[in-house]
Amino acid sequence: MERLPGGTLLVPARLAPAPDALAHALFAIKHEGVRLDYLAAALRQVPAQAMLDLVARTPNGGYVRRLGLLWEQFNGQPIDGLGAGPQVSAAYVPLFDPRTHLVGPSRRNARWRVDVNGLGDWGFCPLVRRTPALQAALDAQVLARAQAFADSVGPQMLERALSWAYLSETEGSFAIERETPPQDKAALFVGLLQRAHDRQPLTEDYLVALQNAAVTNPLDRAVQFRTEQNRLQDSRLGAAGVTYVPPPPELAAELMAHLMALANQRPAPLDALAHAALVSFAFVFIHPFMDGNGRLSRFLTHHGLGQAEALPRGFLLPVSVAMKRHEADYLAALQAFSRPARALCQVLWAGDDDYTFDWAAGADTWFRYMDVTEGVRFTLEMALAALETHLQGEVAFLALFDEVRRHIEARHDLRGSDLATLIVTIWQNGGVLSATRRKRFAERVQGHVLDAIEAAVQRRMRGQPLTDDDND
């Protein structure tokens, strides 16, 4: 067998499974791992007798026992003729292999001697595959690096950097939605971020309050989880423009109950950042509100880290800033789930806002057992970028700013506000003061002082010390 770069598995004809659902399910669980949504669809087509015959032949087989457990779960009944259970004498096997999946706590099923170690329960069990990219992101130990960074920076400098981080995280999260929040709304969202460390379990009332604070249109403020079908749409009119259809409102409410339970009780083996990322992306896929879901999903990353006390109190990774810089990758992570989901719903448009939604049979399993691997991987990578590119970069800039300001103030007399603006402007422009800026400041700042500020910024950007040569 050979796996192609796109994920396709090439199978020699002699190894191909027989053309029936049970043979394909057995082949898939051996070679593709456990995908509960796919297995549910297959095993619901398998007659009880066929399952009984397979178990009778190899009652101790690990793959067979997993399939037996899943068959009974997805068909809602024990296998006819099996009696008290299969005659299993083998050791317990995990439902999900910890070497290939992120797993939850051990919950042993004695009937099949299978350790049901999913990240959730049968009503909602998201999947996170331990891909090479995800494993590399986990190995980066972002939270440990963030703790070391916080310890290495003086309290005053850290406080200044975090002030920037809170405001930039707010602006970045709104910018992803193509919005610029008014000052009062931005201040309110900053306040929410600052309280993400407070012990506050997720409830419907709490999420409604967060949604009300996150949306700018008062007519879009919710009073509960949505009670109508939502959709995401691009610039095209009608059904062709519908890019994603989240689960129907009744299913969304049920899934949110499971997700809130998962968010409020992190599975013991699960990394805190991976858990926060899982909750964030699962939330946006469920889309429990008519508006504000994206901003809330990103807030939930910070909420999850705060509840886990995984960072120093008040410390914030400006993840949305990094996501905004990598919007194409963000979209790809979302579409890894949303594009296949869109194919499960036939959308009909009768004009204006008159849409009907016809779901394929078994579509609920796509949401109950959603694969959030790409979302978790992307979030972990953005958390690392938020720390090492944006937050550490802000600290480096503040150090440059302070040193240049002290250097210039000791040698030249000019307004503090002008000096601050010039340092920032020159730094943002790659160490050069533009001709337009020179003209703007020429009436208040002498030319040789402008040259001195520019030279000082350039030297510090190159990592060189400031000397009296920068004075002239």
Side-chain angles (χ1 to χ4, degrees), residues 174-198:
F174 277 83
I176 291 172
E177 309 296 331
R178 304 293 187 267
E179 291 187 35
T180 301
Q183 186 173 357
D184 60 337
K185 182 65 67 173
L188 181 59
F189 200 80
V190 167
L192 293 177
L193 290 171
Q194 290 171 335
R195 293 195 297 274
H197 289 259
D198 296 345

Side-chain angles (χ1 to χ4, degrees), residues 304-318:
L305 293 176
Q307 302 310 292
E309 299 181 340
L311 292 169
R313 186 169 182 83
F315 191 97
L316 180 110
L317 289 168

Side-chain angles (χ1 to χ4, degrees), residues 99-439:
R99 296 170 299 180
T100 58
H101 296 78
L102 301 188
V103 298
S106 173
R107 289 157 292 187
R108 291 191 164 191
N109 180 285
R111 176 177 172 85
W112 293 96
R113 295 181 70 82
V114 172
D115 184 1
V116 184
N117 60 344
L119 293 170
D121 53 30
W122 294 116
F124 178 67
C125 187
L127 177 76
V128 183
R129 293 172 287 109
R130 201 183 284 271
T131 62
L134 178 65
Q135 188 59 54
L138 288 168
D139 291 343
Q141 295 290 312
V142 177
L143 299 181
R145 292 189 187 192
Q147 180 67 63
F149 169 74
D151 293 341
S152 69
V153 179
Q156 290 185 332
M157 179 65 79
L158 183 60
E159 182 179 357
R160 292 167 65 193
L162 290 177
S163 294
W164 167 86
Y166 276 102
L167 181 58
S168 296
E169 177 66 11
T170 297
E171 293 173 345
S173 192
F174 277 83
I176 291 172
E177 309 296 331
R178 304 293 187 267
E179 291 187 35
T180 301
Q183 186 173 357
D184 60 337
K185 182 65 67 173
L188 181 59
F189 200 80
V190 167
L192 293 177
L193 290 171
Q194 290 171 335
R195 293 195 297 274
H197 289 259
D198 296 345
R199 300 299 299 174
Q200 174 62 62
L202 291 191
T203 64
E204 183 174 0
D205 288 344
Y206 178 55
L207 288 169
V208 166
L210 291 175
Q211 190 269 356
N212 286 192
V215 299
T216 55
N217 183 355
L219 299 180
D220 283 328
R221 291 173 183 162
V223 295
Q224 64 185 91
F225 292 148
R226 61 182 168 87
T227 57
E228 58 185 293
Q229 181 64 62
N230 200 351
R231 70 182 191 276
L232 298 186
Q233 187 142 6
D234 60 22
S235 58
R236 294 171 294 172
L237 290 176
V242 176
T243 58
Y244 178 59
V245 184
E250 299 82 6
L251 178 57
E254 179 189 345
L255 295 177
M256 281 305 302
H258 289 286
L259 179 60
M260 290 185 294
L262 176 60
N264 294 334
Q265 185 62 54
R266 175 166 57 99
L270 189 59
D271 173 84
L273 181 54
H275 177 241
L278 184 161
V279 172
S280 169
F281 267 79
F283 177 91
V284 81
F285 292 147
I286 297 172
H287 238 65
F289 297 111
M290 297 303 291
D291 189 39
N293 297 284
R295 268 157 282 173
L296 280 190
S297 74
R298 293 183 289 275
F299 170 83
L300 289 178
T301 301
H302 303 294
H303 176 271
L305 293 176
Q307 302 310 292
E309 299 181 340
L311 292 169
R313 186 169 182 83
F315 191 97
L316 180 110
L317 289 168
V319 177
S320 295
V321 177
M323 288 181 169
K324 176 61 179 172
R325 299 282 182 89
H326 298 83
E327 280 194 275
D329 295 331
Y330 191 11
L331 180 61
L334 291 167
Q335 289 180 340
F337 176 85
S338 65
R339 275 186 171 171
R342 174 64 182 88
L344 298 174
C345 186
Q346 182 181 16
V347 181
L348 300 176
W349 181 53
D352 296 328
D353 202 39
D354 187 1
Y355 289 82
T356 58
F357 305 89
D358 184 17
W359 290 94
D364 67 301
T365 60
W366 186 257
F367 297 103
R368 291 187 188 280
Y369 309 127
M370 58 176 63
D371 187 336
V372 291
T373 303
E374 288 305 297
V376 173
R377 172 200 57 78
F378 176 72
T379 302
L380 266 62
E381 291 176 352
M382 292 303 96
L384 182 60
L387 174 64
E388 296 196 335
T389 300
H390 302 293
L391 197 53
Q392 291 183 358
E394 178 65 13
V395 168
F397 165 71
L398 290 173
L400 176 151
F401 180 93
D402 290 347
E403 190 171 352
V404 172
R405 183 183 60 187
R406 287 193 300 267
H407 178 83
I408 296 300
E409 286 179 342
R411 292 161 175 80
H412 304 285
D413 185 19
L414 72 160
R415 298 176 188 174
S417 58
D418 285 345
L419 177 56
T421 300
L422 285 164
I423 294 172
V424 172
T425 299
I426 293 169
W427 177 78
Q428 289 178 333
N429 200 39
V432 177
L433 183 62
S434 68
T436 301
R437 291 284 185 173
R438 279 184 175 273
K439 288 181 181 179

